[in-house]
Protein backbone atom coordinates (compact mmCIF):
# COMPACT_ATOMS: atom_id res chain seq x y z
CA UNK A 1 0.00 0.00 0.00
CA UNK A 2 2.86 2.40 0.82
CA UNK A 3 4.48 1.71 -2.59
CA UNK A 4 1.15 2.44 -4.31
CA UNK A 5 0.87 5.74 -2.41
CA UNK A 6 4.40 6.77 -3.44
CA UNK A 7 3.65 5.85 -7.03
CA UNK A 8 0.48 7.95 -6.96
CA UNK A 9 2.39 10.93 -5.53
CA UNK A 10 5.13 10.55 -8.14
CA UNK A 11 2.57 10.30 -10.94
CA UNK A 12 0.72 13.37 -9.67
CA UNK A 13 3.98 15.31 -9.39
CA UNK A 14 4.98 14.37 -12.93
CA UNK A 15 1.55 15.12 -14.35
CA UNK A 16 1.22 18.43 -12.50
CA UNK A 17 4.68 19.60 -13.50
CA UNK A 18 4.07 18.55 -17.11
CA UNK A 19 0.81 20.48 -17.30
CA UNK A 20 2.43 23.59 -15.82
CA UNK A 21 5.38 23.38 -18.23
CA UNK A 22 3.08 22.84 -21.22
CA UNK A 23 0.93 25.82 -20.25
CA UNK A 24 3.87 28.12 -19.51
CA UNK A 25 5.60 27.07 -22.73
CA UNK A 26 2.44 27.51 -24.79
CA UNK A 27 1.52 30.94 -23.40
CA UNK A 28 5.05 32.35 -23.59
CA UNK A 29 5.65 31.00 -27.09
CA UNK A 30 2.31 32.38 -28.29
CA UNK A 31 3.00 35.78 -26.70
CA UNK A 32 6.68 36.30 -27.54
CA UNK A 33 6.58 34.87 -31.06
CA UNK A 34 3.44 36.69 -32.22
CA UNK A 35 5.35 39.11 -34.47
CA UNK A 36 8.19 36.79 -35.50
CA UNK A 37 7.89 33.07 -36.15
CA UNK A 38 4.11 32.94 -35.65
CA UNK A 39 3.55 35.68 -38.22
CA UNK A 40 4.13 32.99 -40.89
CA UNK A 41 0.81 31.39 -39.88
CA UNK A 42 -2.19 33.33 -41.19
CA UNK A 43 -4.76 31.57 -39.00
CA UNK A 44 -5.25 31.64 -35.25
CA UNK A 45 -5.46 27.83 -35.25
CA UNK A 46 -2.05 27.61 -36.96
CA UNK A 47 -0.57 29.91 -34.31
CA UNK A 48 -2.11 27.86 -31.50
CA UNK A 49 -0.87 24.53 -32.89
CA UNK A 50 2.60 25.94 -33.53
CA UNK A 51 2.74 27.41 -30.01
CA UNK A 52 1.64 24.15 -28.42
CA UNK A 53 4.16 22.19 -30.48
CA UNK A 54 6.77 24.77 -29.47
CA UNK A 55 6.05 24.10 -25.80
CA UNK A 56 6.34 20.31 -26.18
CA UNK A 57 9.37 19.92 -28.42
CA UNK A 58 12.09 21.43 -26.20
CA UNK A 59 11.22 18.98 -23.44
CA UNK A 60 11.28 15.78 -25.43
CA UNK A 61 11.52 15.54 -29.17
CA UNK A 62 13.83 18.10 -30.69
CA UNK A 63 11.61 18.58 -33.72
CA UNK A 64 11.12 22.13 -34.84
CA UNK A 65 8.46 23.64 -37.03
CA UNK A 66 9.83 27.19 -36.99
CA UNK A 67 13.17 28.70 -37.87
CA UNK A 68 15.04 28.39 -34.57
CA UNK A 69 17.34 31.26 -35.53
CA UNK A 70 14.33 33.59 -35.68
CA UNK A 71 13.16 32.96 -32.11
CA UNK A 72 13.04 35.95 -29.78
CA UNK A 73 15.38 36.11 -26.78
CA UNK A 74 12.60 35.50 -24.20
CA UNK A 75 11.48 32.40 -26.10
CA UNK A 76 15.04 31.09 -26.23
CA UNK A 77 15.32 31.61 -22.47
CA UNK A 78 12.09 29.65 -21.92
CA UNK A 79 13.41 26.93 -24.23
CA UNK A 80 16.57 26.70 -22.10
CA UNK A 81 14.43 26.10 -19.01
CA UNK A 82 12.17 23.59 -20.76
CA UNK A 83 15.14 21.67 -22.21
CA UNK A 84 16.88 21.63 -18.82
CA UNK A 85 13.82 20.26 -16.99
CA UNK A 86 12.98 17.86 -19.79
CA UNK A 87 10.60 14.95 -19.62
CA UNK A 88 9.06 12.89 -16.83
CA UNK A 89 10.66 9.82 -15.25
CA UNK A 90 10.15 6.59 -17.12
CA UNK A 91 10.26 8.31 -20.50
CA UNK A 92 13.09 8.38 -22.99
CA UNK A 93 13.33 12.18 -22.81
CA UNK A 94 16.31 13.79 -21.14
CA UNK A 95 16.72 16.63 -18.68
CA UNK A 96 16.70 16.66 -14.90
CA UNK A 97 13.09 15.37 -15.03
CA UNK A 98 9.82 17.03 -14.08
CA UNK A 99 9.65 15.39 -10.66
CA UNK A 100 13.12 16.64 -9.72
CA UNK A 101 12.13 20.21 -10.60
CA UNK A 102 8.80 19.82 -8.80
CA UNK A 103 10.38 18.48 -5.60
CA UNK A 104 12.90 21.34 -5.59
CA UNK A 105 10.13 23.90 -6.18
CA UNK A 106 7.97 22.41 -3.43
CA UNK A 107 10.93 22.49 -1.06
CA UNK A 108 11.59 26.15 -1.81
CA UNK A 109 7.91 26.96 -1.25
CA UNK A 110 8.03 25.13 2.09
CA UNK A 111 11.11 27.08 3.15
CA UNK A 112 9.51 30.40 2.15
CA UNK A 113 6.39 29.50 4.15
CA UNK A 114 8.56 28.61 7.17
CA UNK A 115 7.62 24.93 7.18
CA UNK A 116 10.07 22.28 8.31
CA UNK A 117 8.91 19.60 5.88
CA UNK A 118 8.12 19.35 2.20
CA UNK A 119 4.66 18.02 1.36
CA UNK A 120 2.62 17.29 -1.72
CA UNK A 121 -1.07 16.34 -1.42
CA UNK A 122 -0.70 15.72 2.34
CA UNK A 123 2.22 13.36 1.77
CA UNK A 124 5.64 14.25 3.12
CA UNK A 125 8.46 14.09 0.62
CA UNK A 126 11.47 12.49 2.26
CA UNK A 127 14.56 14.53 3.04
CA UNK A 128 16.55 12.06 0.95
CA UNK A 129 14.37 12.80 -2.09
CA UNK A 130 14.77 16.55 -1.57
CA UNK A 131 18.56 16.24 -1.23
CA UNK A 132 18.71 13.99 -4.30
CA UNK A 133 16.73 16.57 -6.30
CA UNK A 134 19.11 19.37 -5.38
CA UNK A 135 22.14 17.17 -6.04
CA UNK A 136 20.81 16.39 -9.53
CA UNK A 137 20.18 20.09 -10.15
CA UNK A 138 23.67 21.08 -8.99
CA UNK A 139 25.37 18.32 -10.97
CA UNK A 140 23.42 19.22 -14.13
CA UNK A 141 24.37 22.89 -13.84
CA UNK A 142 28.03 21.95 -13.31
CA UNK A 143 28.01 19.75 -16.42
CA UNK A 144 26.23 22.36 -18.54
CA UNK A 145 28.41 25.17 -17.19
CA UNK A 146 31.57 23.19 -17.92
CA UNK A 147 30.31 22.50 -21.42
CA UNK A 148 29.61 26.19 -22.07
CA UNK A 149 33.05 27.11 -20.72
CA UNK A 150 34.93 24.51 -22.79
CA UNK A 151 33.07 25.36 -25.98
CA UNK A 152 33.64 29.09 -25.44
CA UNK A 153 37.39 28.42 -25.21
CA UNK A 154 37.38 26.96 -28.72
CA UNK A 155 34.43 28.70 -30.37
CA UNK A 156 33.77 31.84 -28.34
CA UNK A 157 33.02 33.78 -31.51
CA UNK A 158 29.74 31.85 -31.89
CA UNK A 159 28.10 33.79 -29.04
CA UNK A 160 27.32 32.87 -25.46
CA UNK A 161 23.59 32.42 -26.03
CA UNK A 162 24.12 30.07 -28.96
CA UNK A 163 26.76 28.08 -27.07
CA UNK A 164 24.52 27.80 -24.01
CA UNK A 165 21.60 26.68 -26.18
CA UNK A 166 23.69 23.93 -27.79
CA UNK A 167 24.93 22.82 -24.35
CA UNK A 168 21.47 22.67 -22.78
CA UNK A 169 20.15 20.84 -25.84
CA UNK A 170 22.97 18.29 -25.77
CA UNK A 171 22.71 17.73 -22.00
CA UNK A 172 18.99 17.07 -22.26
CA UNK A 173 19.28 15.04 -25.49
CA UNK A 174 16.81 17.37 -27.20
CA UNK A 175 18.46 17.89 -30.56
CA UNK A 176 17.46 21.51 -31.12
CA UNK A 177 20.05 23.96 -32.41
CA UNK A 178 20.36 27.64 -33.15
CA UNK A 179 22.43 26.65 -36.16
CA UNK A 180 26.02 26.66 -34.93
CA UNK A 181 26.60 22.94 -34.42
CA UNK A 182 27.99 22.28 -37.88
CA UNK A 183 30.45 25.17 -37.63
CA UNK A 184 31.85 24.19 -34.22
CA UNK A 185 35.38 22.88 -33.90
CA UNK A 186 35.94 19.16 -33.48
CA UNK A 187 36.85 19.71 -29.82
CA UNK A 188 33.57 21.55 -29.17
CA UNK A 189 31.61 18.82 -30.94
CA UNK A 190 33.28 16.25 -28.69
CA UNK A 191 32.30 18.32 -25.64
CA UNK A 192 28.68 18.27 -26.81
CA UNK A 193 28.84 14.52 -27.35
Amino acid sequence: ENFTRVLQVTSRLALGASVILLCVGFVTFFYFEQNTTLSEHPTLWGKIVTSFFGSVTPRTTGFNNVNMGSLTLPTIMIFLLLMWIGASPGSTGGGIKTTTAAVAALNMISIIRGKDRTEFHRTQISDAAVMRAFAIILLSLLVIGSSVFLISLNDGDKGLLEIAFESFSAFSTVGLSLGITSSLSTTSKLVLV
Side-chain angles (χ1 to χ4, degrees), residues 5 7-17 120-121:
R5 177 118 176 104
L7 189 61
Q8 288 176 346
V9 170
T10 303
S11 298
R12 285 182 178 182
L13 265 176
L15 183 61
F120 180 70
H121 284 280

Side-chain angles (χ1 to χ4, degrees), residues 51-191:
S51 298
F52 183 75
F53 191 80
S55 74
V56 173
T57 194
R59 293 187 44 237
T60 57
T61 62
F63 296 127
N64 62 329
N65 59 348
V66 296
N67 179 0
M68 297 298 291
S70 299
L71 294 175
T72 62
L73 180 59
T75 302
I76 291 172
M77 299 303 288
I78 294 295
F79 270 35
L80 291 176
L81 177 66
L82 294 175
M83 286 190 294
W84 178 61
I85 293 173
S88 293
S91 71
T92 57
I96 63 168
K97 301 297 183 191
T98 54
T99 51
T100 300
V103 166
L106 288 170
N107 181 251
M108 288 187 285
I109 291 168
S110 294
I111 290 170
I112 291 168
R113 290 183 174 172
K115 295 184 177 183
D116 59 348
R117 52 192 255 166
T118 303
E119 292 181 337
F120 180 70
H121 284 280
R122 290 173 278 157
T123 301
Q124 181 176 354
I125 298 172
S126 71
D127 290 340
V130 172
M131 288 188 292
R132 190 169 37 252
F134 281 102
I136 290 168
I137 288 170
L138 179 61
L139 184 60
S140 73
L141 293 175
L142 286 172
V143 169
I144 293 169
S146 298
S147 171
V148 170
F149 176 75
L150 292 172
I151 293 170
S152 68
L153 288 176
N154 298 298
D155 292 291
D157 60 317
K158 304 294 188 249
L160 180 59
L161 182 65
E162 289 78 5
I163 292 170
F165 194 91
E166 302 296 314
S167 297
F168 274 84
S169 181
F171 172 81
S172 300
T173 64
V174 173
L176 292 176
S177 175
L178 292 180
I180 67 166
T181 306
S182 61
S183 63
L184 291 175
S185 67
T186 302
T187 304
S188 293
K189 288 177 184 176
L190 287 173
V191 169

Side-chain angles (χ1 to χ4, degrees), residues 1-63:
E1 183 180 320
N2 192 27
F3 176 75
T4 305
R5 177 118 176 104
V6 169
L7 189 61
Q8 288 176 346
V9 170
T10 303
S11 298
R12 285 182 178 182
L13 265 176
L15 183 61
S18 293
V19 167
I20 289 169
L21 291 172
L22 285 173
C23 290
V24 167
F26 169 76
V27 169
T28 56
F29 192 97
F30 189 82
Y31 179 76
F32 292 124
E33 295 301 314
Q34 201 59 234
N35 296 320
T36 54
T37 59
L38 288 180
S39 64
E40 300 171 8
H41 298 281
T43 66
L44 177 62
W45 180 247
K47 293 176 192 230
I48 289 171
V49 170
T50 301
S51 298
F52 183 75
F53 191 80
S55 74
V56 173
T57 194
R59 293 187 44 237
T60 57
T61 62
F63 296 127

